[in-house]
Amino acid sequence: MKKTSLMALLLGCATSYHVAAERLVVTYDTVGTGQHVIVASTATPETCLPLTSGNPWCVPLPPQQHIQTQQLKQPPAYRSVSLQVPAELSLVEAKVLLENTGLYRYVEHDIMIAPGATWNEITPDDTYFGEQQLYFADNSPDTPNASSILSMWRMLKAPEKNVHVYVLDVGFRLGTDIDYAPGYNFVTLVEGDVRGPGFLEEEFGDGSCPNNHGIGVAGVIGAKIHNGFGVTGTTGDVTIHPLRVMRCGNGVMSDAAAALDWLAGDSLENLPDFTGEPGIVNMSLGGKVGDTGCPFYLQSAIDKVTAKGFTIVASAGNQNEDTALYIPANCDNVITVGAANEGDAYNPADMAGFSNYGAHINVMAVGDSVVGLVRNDDIGYWSGTSFAAPIVAGIITNLSKDFDFIPAQWAMLVELSTVSNWIEGGRCDTLGCGAGILDAVKLYNNAQALSEGRLDSMSYLLNELSNCNQSWFTGTLLKSNAPCGWVLVDIKTLGELTEQEHLKLWSVEHGMANTAENRALHGEFTQNKFSISRDEAIGRDFYIQKCADTGDACGEFAKIDSRELENMPAVCQ
């Protein structure tokens, strides 16, 4: 087989977007009489593109005879070949790589198909789906705490991609409406507890434990969809991995940390080594530590498992106290979720009365009267941040079918993708409800924007230049350090402004709720890219609004990604 080496024209900056199909179709000219042939595998000759790992990606090398075809004025002939994208490349990276070779007339996504409607395209017929509109419905004045999940389903490009969720909990039960992967027990609470296979409460002790918490939490994420029974999970084509970390309803955090260590690759006695795929971790559990912060053993486990690509979602707690007092809610690298009330005519949109609050909460979701599974195929109404967290976990799980982001990016995106319709003077207004209710449609749009480099951002003006140019700009042009004090605001998600529109830039103290009482207006701007002083930016969270020049009509607040402000220009350090 003849193989010709061709240097790959790799992307300078990798994107994170990844569609589950992982196939591209390349089409090139060939000799023929107007026929078009589609094949599933390549024929000789090939050319091999070196990847960053050192592995080659061998793709078809089009023949050069197409020149003769043009000279003879024969009808054009094409050949299309379907190629598997290497695991180390995202779909967009692979597409650009192939386009940059100049070998192909077309490089196109090979679209997944199905014989009928997929789970995300139907309206579920599950018995209690109507009562789940508290969070499935579109966010609106009538449903101010809803998370727009059903509309987000319709946006998914790869709904049939299987994804994995690891539920650290207790009270797992079998049920008609839910399936589990093989699960494991990590509990060492009392003498005689042994880690190993098994997760159902019936398998431990005398089988009399009444706890149903695990099946309730797991069902919010992965209950079967459109089976005419029970409730509707927030995502389909999901594998639920039950990891038992408490004994009937009590436990120690070291056992939960051990489960995270195991997922990160540590070997534990009596347990097989973890060989599965990264996914979403739901931790609807917590313990009070007071003002001592997150203990090292837990933070270390969290850091290890997030470094492996697992995104952790945790409940804020139900003690009506500051989340700063509870773990894992106050730990770094965790998406902490507080509970909102039903947000109906009788309960204006606000934090649920039991929910913990404060600066450590990232986002909110409905956590009051969440209809869910209990044992013996019964249905219950759950209240607690334990049931707000899996709504958020399920939403992120859905989007991980279409996008491949690291945990820090998911954490950033959820805070940028919220809606706040809190009643004035309520608990959220005064105590803090993070960025607000997670809206799944906003999250999808922001994920798409991030994958395409369109996300609203703030960064140091000098970081637009190379290190060499930074030094020249500050040392030669201005003879001062003044440029270090300027921040560039780049608004890409709101579209180009018309002559009758402008932007309003607002901020609140970092960690505070975006309320009228907390907001400060920094200015009004007529362009999508502008600068403000560093002194204005540090220690604050920023929001942007698009407004009409006449009247008071303004759009919703959109949070601006300010993570790059941690990246001080080299010349200013």
Side-chain angles (χ1 to χ4, degrees), residues 176-513:
T176 301
D177 210 22
I178 191 165
D179 293 327
Y180 303 100
Y184 298 95
N185 175 53
F186 292 83
V187 176
T188 62
L189 181 62
V190 300
E191 186 177 355
D193 284 339
V194 178
R195 290 174 177 162
F199 65 95
L200 297 169
E201 287 309 311
E202 292 86 347
E203 301 177 80
F204 300 94
D206 60 7
S208 63
C209 173
N211 196 291
N212 296 288
H213 196 266
I215 187 175
V217 169
V220 172
I221 300 168
K224 295 175 184 177
I225 295 172
H226 203 60
N227 65 337
F229 183 84
V231 298
T232 303
T234 52
T235 185
D237 285 300
V238 60
T239 300
I240 300 291
H241 300 263
L243 306 181
R244 183 176 182 264
V245 297
M246 290 171 280
R247 197 176 196 273
C248 195
N250 296 292
V252 288
M253 192 61 72
S254 59
D255 285 340
L260 298 177
D261 286 334
W262 179 74
L263 290 174
D266 287 1
S267 295
L268 297 181
E269 187 177 359
N270 298 323
L271 288 166
D273 287 346
F274 177 76
T275 57
E277 300 178 29
I280 311 302
V281 175
N282 190 91
M283 300 181 70
S284 290
L285 52 86
K288 189 171 185 177
V289 292
D291 58 4
T292 61
C294 186
F296 175 81
Y297 70 86
L298 178 58
Q299 188 63 65
S300 175
I302 290 170
D303 293 345
K304 280 194 299 182
V305 80
T306 53
K308 295 287 187 178
F310 293 83
T311 299
I312 299 177
V313 179
S315 57
N318 305 324
Q319 292 75 28
N320 187 22
E321 293 186 292
D322 195 320
T323 309
L325 304 175
Y326 290 84
I327 57 174
N330 72 2
C331 298
D332 294 334
N333 295 325
V334 169
I335 298 172
T336 299
V337 184
N341 63 10
E342 298 98 313
D344 56 24
Y346 303 100
N347 301 280
D350 202 357
M351 183 194 310
F354 52 79
S355 179
N356 286 353
Y357 51 81
H360 283 277
I361 290 180
N362 299 104
V363 291
M364 305 285 287
V366 170
D368 209 351
S369 300
V370 177
V371 60
L373 304 179
V374 296
R375 63 179 177 175
N376 300 324
D377 279 343
D378 286 336
I379 296 296
Y381 292 84
W382 295 96
S383 291
T385 58
S386 285
F387 299 89
I391 292 174
V392 172
I395 291 172
I396 298 172
T397 301
N398 273 302
L399 269 70
S400 67
K401 294 171 179 287
D402 282 7
F403 304 96
D404 187 16
F405 295 126
I406 63 173
Q409 289 173 310
W410 284 121
M412 177 270 295
L413 283 168
V414 297
E415 289 201 1
L416 297 179
S417 308
T418 59
V419 179
S420 295
N421 297 307
W422 311 124
I423 183 173
E424 187 174 349
R427 284 165 52 80
C428 281
D429 231 4
T430 57
L431 298 175
C433 284
I437 293 287
L438 178 61
D439 186 281
V441 169
K442 279 193 170 185
L443 183 61
Y444 195 99
N445 288 332
N446 283 333
Q448 186 77 59
L450 177 61
S451 72
E452 297 172 356
R454 296 186 291 105
L455 201 64
D456 303 334
S457 63
M458 301 177 72
S459 62
Y460 287 102
L461 189 61
L462 281 179
N463 280 340
E464 299 292 301
L465 308 174
S466 67
N467 288 349
C468 178
N469 286 338
Q470 287 179 14
S471 298
W472 180 86
F473 193 79
T474 56
T476 305
L477 183 61
L478 296 178
K479 304 290 186 183
S480 74
N481 213 33
C484 296
W486 288 97
V487 168
L488 178 68
V489 183
D490 191 0
I491 305 301
K492 298 177 179 178
T493 61
L494 298 181
E496 293 298 321
L497 299 176
T498 68
E499 293 182 357
Q500 292 78 39
E501 295 175 327
H502 64 279
L503 298 175
K504 286 186 177 182
L505 182 68
W506 302 85
S507 78
V508 299
E509 184 180 342
H510 178 64
M512 296 294 289

